[in-house]
Amino acid sequence: MDNRGFQQGSFSSFRSSSSDEDLMNITGTAMDFSMRDDVPPLDREVEEDKSYNGGGIGSSNRIMDFLEEPIPGVGTYDDFNTIDWVREKSRDRDRHREGAFAYIVNYFMYVLWALLFAFLAVSLVKVFAPYACGSGIPEIKTILSGFIIRGYLGKWTLVIKTITLVLAVSSGLSLGKEGPLVHVACCCGNILCHCFNKYQKNEAKRREVSYYFPLKTLWRSFFAALVAAFTLRSINPFGNSRLVLFYVEFHTPWHLFELVPFILLGIFGGLWGALFIRTNIAWCRKRKTTQLGKYPVIEVLVVTAITAILAFPNEYTRMSTSELISELFNDCGLLDSSKLCDYENRFNTSKGGELPDRPAGMGVYSAMWQLALSLILKIVITIFTFGMKVPSGLFIPSMAVGAIAGRLLGVGMEQLAYYHHDWTIFNSWCSQGADCITPGLYAMVGAAACLGGVTRMTVSLVVIMFELTGGLEYIVPLMAAAMTSKWVADALGREGIYDAHIRLNGYPFLEAKEEFAHKTLAMDVMKPRRNDPLLTVLTQDSMTVEDIETIISETTYSGFPVVVSRESQRLVGFVLRRDLIISIENARKKQDGVVSTSIIYFTEHSPPMPPYTPPTLKLRNILDLSPFTVTDLTPMEIVVDIFRKLGLRQCLVTHNGRLLGIITKKDVLKHIAQMANQDPDSILFN
């Protein structure tokens, strides 16, 4: 529209003398470039006004009367592609500008609802499913490595974690839902496995994706992801017709010089990650070793009350963390009513939908102070929140910390480029009136940096950021920030947050990244050692039901080697404790004549028995005839590598077919600690 009368001075005068709603009407009219037959253009109205002088707006009353008239299709619900949502947001903000009494009532209700949701979440977890608390990722990593945690992937855990996750997020606590959703997905997979015989009785099939990922599993995973994406697109849960949570569409490419602030964000992310891991682990250790751990409900309520009381006065902590990150990632436009986009508009036109860099207004400066306070609160409160007895993830809080820091740095760089565009670092690529800096991009890079500093992810982190934002063209800034944060965090501590919690909880998990370079042998680690009691074994054809039941009641081993005889110690196979118990109980109930003196055979054929003897019990079908074995002279470097890559729980040690001992994953972990000059007895397996 060729509107020579609507210029810089007139726009500023309208901005200073109009309310928010009037400003929305003015902006909407200025942006409507369509020439409709039933809507006279603004030029026609100006030309009909005889007092127009060509240099500005001659009669403000005349134009304001025109602007107050309803324009078909704009500001109504006839066309959802207009600025109607902006106007409604402005009106909603005006409606909430009430007196002190209404503010106090809202404050009280905010805290009350937060405490109610948190109380329901922690109570359900404590009473029905204690395994539903926390993130779940440390335990899932441990299970995939070959360790069994009974009930962790059960039905009650799935139901309670799904319900309490909604309650915990709704309470306003500084936690996320991504980690718990991984646990929920694994529960679904474990429960669905029982519907198919192929997976129900094959533990290796269930853990197929942990270390061994065959091509057929890759195609199955691809198909499952395809179905999930189609379902997500059909439901449209984010309301933006996108498949990603924080979709970004920046109009300005990044410049090479901006790698410097991106690397600074990576350094900040690494420092924040190392600080968070150390302080959070110290607090969780205090919770486990003091009386604090005996009162999980009180702890959750206290942290929730502190969070709600401190969060409500600040609009950036009062809103949900996902909404905060989305606003920080946003690239400001003319129609944005957020304080983060409250710039002074000193321009004539906008080319290609891009806005030039502008001086910050009072709203931006106010938002910067609020974001700085939000950053401090998020950093402190997340330390005490992660690890409580409610479902709590870490992705969203970490991204929020990084996004806040990135937005602060981005606005600072934007203003620096605007006021000092003639500096050497800017004059080659940033001219006056150009759109040079995108603060939303800095927020996205900062989010990736802080998430990488906490989790120590690199490649997968960049992929996750692509999935969350759709910003494929910003791969270099994301990679630079992710690698820098990992290097800085690794310099201050080698463990990520999940590995640190695995060690804190005493889970038998072998880290695949660490190398074992000591020259020890399997015979140095196996049990029994010298002067130890003999290894508990079962014979293949000479033990009664009573003998085996006695061994089961007197020991806590998860399985037993089966040998030809105690004298020869020739290995036949390995049988699990659980299978023995179930088989004997079923035989007593369903097989006539089975008594305590009945002989158990692990052989294929049993010899003929004399008359009037109790019937025998054949258990060869539960015997593992090919247990994993190594010789006594196998280097421990190879043994450790086998445990890592195959997810073994135990390994038998033989010499020329004769059973000598057994090595469990716990034995390997204790040996690694001993080689690192640590007390092996200090490693607990809780």
Side-chain angles (χ1 to χ4, degrees):
M1 181 171 65
D2 186 16
N3 182 10
R4 294 178 298 276
F6 194 72
Q7 295 183 353
Q8 174 180 347
S10 62
F11 188 87
S12 300
S13 65
F14 281 134
R15 180 183 179 89
S16 61
S17 62
S18 304
S19 65
D20 291 343
E21 184 173 343
D22 293 332
L23 179 58
M24 291 300 127
N25 291 330
I26 293 171
T27 308
T29 306
M31 290 294 102
D32 189 3
F33 291 90
S34 63
M35 299 293 291
R36 303 184 181 180
D37 296 333
D38 56 345
V39 183
L42 186 59
D43 287 331
R44 192 178 305 169
E45 294 292 335
V46 174
E47 290 172 0
E48 291 176 359
D49 190 350
K50 303 301 182 181
S51 61
Y52 173 64
N53 57 10
I57 297 180
S59 177
S60 60
N61 293 333
R62 172 69 172 170
I63 293 182
M64 292 304 296
D65 291 339
F66 164 75
L67 292 174
E68 289 176 356
E69 295 178 0
I71 302 176
V74 179
T76 66
Y77 290 99
D78 297 331
D79 182 5
F80 286 95
N81 295 321
T82 63
I83 64 168
D84 184 76
W85 65 272
V86 181
R87 179 178 303 172
E88 289 300 319
K89 189 173 181 180
S90 177
R91 289 176 177 174
D92 184 69
R93 186 184 296 111
D94 292 336
R95 283 194 296 267
H96 287 81
R97 291 173 183 169
E98 300 174 354
F101 177 75
Y103 180 83
I104 294 175
V105 171
N106 292 335
Y107 203 152
F108 175 76
M109 294 303 298
Y110 180 87
V111 177
L112 181 63
W113 279 111
L115 290 174
L116 177 61
F117 288 144
F119 176 75
L120 290 175
V122 68
S123 299
L124 290 174
V125 169
K126 181 180 179 181
V127 175
F128 295 101
Y131 282 150
C133 67
S135 170
I137 292 182
E139 290 79 8
I140 296 300
K141 291 181 65 175
T142 305
I143 291 173
L144 290 178
S145 69
F147 187 69
I148 294 179
I149 305 178
R150 300 291 179 188
Y152 197 80
L153 302 178
K155 296 182 289 295
W156 272 110
T157 304
L158 171 63
V159 173
I160 298 301
K161 188 144 195 172
T162 302
I163 297 173
T164 54
L165 178 59
V166 177
L167 295 172
V169 174
S170 302
S171 67
L173 288 169
S174 182
L175 47 83
K177 55 186 179 297
E178 284 69 25
L181 285 178
V182 173
H183 185 190
V184 169
C186 291
C187 290
C188 294
N190 181 65
I191 294 172
L192 290 176
C193 284
H194 294 282
C195 301
F196 304 93
N197 292 330
K198 178 179 180 180
Y199 297 96
Q200 182 179 3
K201 299 180 180 180
N202 194 332
E203 185 68 23
K205 285 288 185 182
R206 299 189 195 181
R207 297 187 292 109
E208 200 172 49
V209 299
S210 58
Y211 291 98
Y212 173 60
F213 201 88
L215 185 60
K216 61 180 180 179
T217 304
L218 176 64
W219 283 110
R220 291 168 181 170
S221 302
F222 174 78
F223 178 75
L226 176 64
V227 174
F230 176 78
T231 306
L232 189 68
R233 183 65 179 83
S234 302
I235 298 175
N236 190 23
F238 308 126
N240 56 4
S241 300
R242 304 286 184 179
L243 293 178
V244 296
L245 180 59
F246 307 115
Y247 179 74
V248 297
E249 190 175 5
F250 302 134
H251 301 288
T252 305
W254 63 279
H255 300 274
L256 186 62
F257 168 75
E258 292 182 280
L259 283 177
V260 175
F262 293 155
I263 292 175
L264 292 178
L265 287 174
I267 294 174
F268 172 80
L271 294 175
W272 144 252
L275 171 67
F276 174 80
I277 292 172
R278 291 194 178 187
T279 51
N280 179 256
I281 292 299
W283 178 253
C284 291
R285 184 177 291 110
K286 182 179 180 63
R287 182 189 295 122
K288 294 174 69 71
T289 57
T290 62
Q291 297 294 324
L292 179 63
K294 298 181 179 180
Y295 307 99
V297 178
I298 296 178
E299 180 192 8
V300 170
L301 292 180
V302 170
V303 174
T304 303
I306 295 174
T307 303
I309 292 172
L310 296 179
F312 186 83
N314 190 334
E315 64 176 291
Y316 293 109
T317 51
R318 183 168 63 243
M319 67 175 63
S320 67
T321 311
S322 298
E323 185 180 355
L324 171 62
I325 295 175
S326 180
E327 186 163 343
L328 293 172
F329 284 3
N330 181 41
D331 188 17
C332 290
L334 270 178
L335 304 182
D336 287 315
S337 60
S338 170
K339 290 198 299 185
L340 287 171
C341 300
D342 184 18
Y343 290 90
E344 297 180 10
N345 296 292
R346 301 178 181 177
F347 57 89
N348 294 328
T349 58
S350 177
K351 298 181 180 180
E354 300 179 7
L355 291 177
D357 289 342
R358 299 162 287 168
M362 293 303 299
V364 175
Y365 289 115
S366 175
M368 292 300 101
W369 279 107
Q370 288 181 301
L371 285 177
L373 295 176
S374 302
L375 178 63
I376 297 174
L377 177 62
K378 290 287 185 183
I379 287 176
V380 175
I381 206 66
T382 305
I383 293 173
F384 300 97
T385 303
F386 186 71
M388 294 195 306
K389 297 303 179 182
V390 292
S392 55
L394 196 58
F395 276 42
I396 292 297
S398 299
M399 290 180 63
V401 171
I404 294 173
R407 188 78 185 202
L408 292 173
L409 180 60
V411 173
M413 289 292 298
E414 181 187 43
Q415 297 304 300
L416 190 66
Y418 177 80
Y419 287 106
H420 304 284
H421 57 85
D422 55 342
W423 284 8
T424 305
I425 57 176
F426 296 120
N427 59 11
S428 60
W429 56 275
C430 183
S431 59
Q432 186 176 9
D435 185 13
C436 304
I437 305 293
T438 305
L441 174 59
Y442 285 72
M444 186 174 72
V445 173
C450 284
L451 185 57
V454 172
T455 61
R456 309 299 168 85
M457 296 186 298
T458 52
V459 178
S460 57
L461 171 62
V462 176
V463 175
I464 289 173
M465 293 304 299
F466 290 162
E467 294 175 348
L468 289 176
T469 63
L472 185 61
E473 59 184 295
Y474 304 105
I475 180 173
V476 175
L478 291 174
M479 291 177 63
M483 290 304 302
T484 304
S485 66
K486 176 175 171 55
W487 289 335
V488 173
D490 284 345
L492 301 175
R494 297 290 299 177
E495 291 181 325
I497 184 63
Y498 300 124
D499 296 331
H501 274 270
I502 288 175
R503 181 169 55 85
L504 176 66
N505 294 323
Y507 297 141
F509 178 76
L510 285 171
E511 178 58 53
K513 301 175 184 177
E514 299 179 359
E515 295 184 1
F516 185 86
H518 302 282
K519 305 299 182 182
T520 53
L521 302 176
M523 60 185 301
D524 301 325
V525 183
M526 72 177 187
K527 298 288 184 65
R529 304 282 183 86
R530 291 182 180 178
N531 302 323
D532 285 349
L534 295 177
L535 185 66
T536 303
V537 297
L538 307 180
T539 57
Q540 67 174 356
D541 56 6
S542 61
M543 300 189 71
T544 64
V545 172
E546 183 180 9
D547 295 335
I548 292 183
E549 288 179 336
T550 301
I551 292 176
I552 291 175
S553 62
E554 293 178 351
T555 62
T556 58
Y557 304 132
S558 61
F560 305 94
V562 179
V563 295
V564 174
S565 65
R566 296 187 183 277
E567 293 76 17
S568 67
Q569 291 290 313
R570 294 291 178 182
L571 181 64
V572 175
F574 191 84
V575 62
L576 294 176
R577 175 195 188 93
R578 180 185 60 178
D579 294 339
L580 274 176
I581 295 174
I582 295 175
S583 299
I584 293 175
E585 289 179 352
N586 291 337
R588 285 184 178 275
K589 295 177 181 178
K590 301 178 181 180
Q591 188 174 343
D592 295 334
V594 174
V595 293
S596 299
T597 56
S598 298
I599 298 179
I600 294 180
Y601 284 93
F602 293 99
T603 57
E604 188 172 358
H605 302 287
S606 58
M609 303 297 295
Y612 306 108
T613 57
T616 60
L617 181 59
K618 297 181 180 180
L619 298 181
R620 187 177 178 84
N621 59 329
I622 65 171
L623 180 65
D624 181 8
L625 296 174
S626 56
F628 202 94
T629 60
V630 295
T631 67
D632 54 338
L633 299 180
T634 303
M636 275 304 298
E637 182 179 3
I638 297 178
V639 174
V640 171
D641 203 37
I642 290 173
F643 271 89
R644 284 173 177 166
K645 294 184 177 180
L646 298 182
L648 298 180
R649 300 168 196 165
Q650 66 276 325
C651 175
L652 301 178
V653 181
T654 61
H655 180 76
N656 293 332
R658 185 172 182 271
L659 179 65
L660 297 181
I662 186 172
I663 299 176
T664 65
K665 179 173 288 188
K666 297 178 181 180
D667 296 330
V668 174
L669 289 169
K670 289 184 177 182
H671 182 68
I672 292 176
Q674 186 177 10
M675 293 295 99
N677 297 323
Q678 299 176 4
D679 183 11
D681 295 329
S682 64
I683 299 180
L684 303 177
F685 302 100
N686 303 325

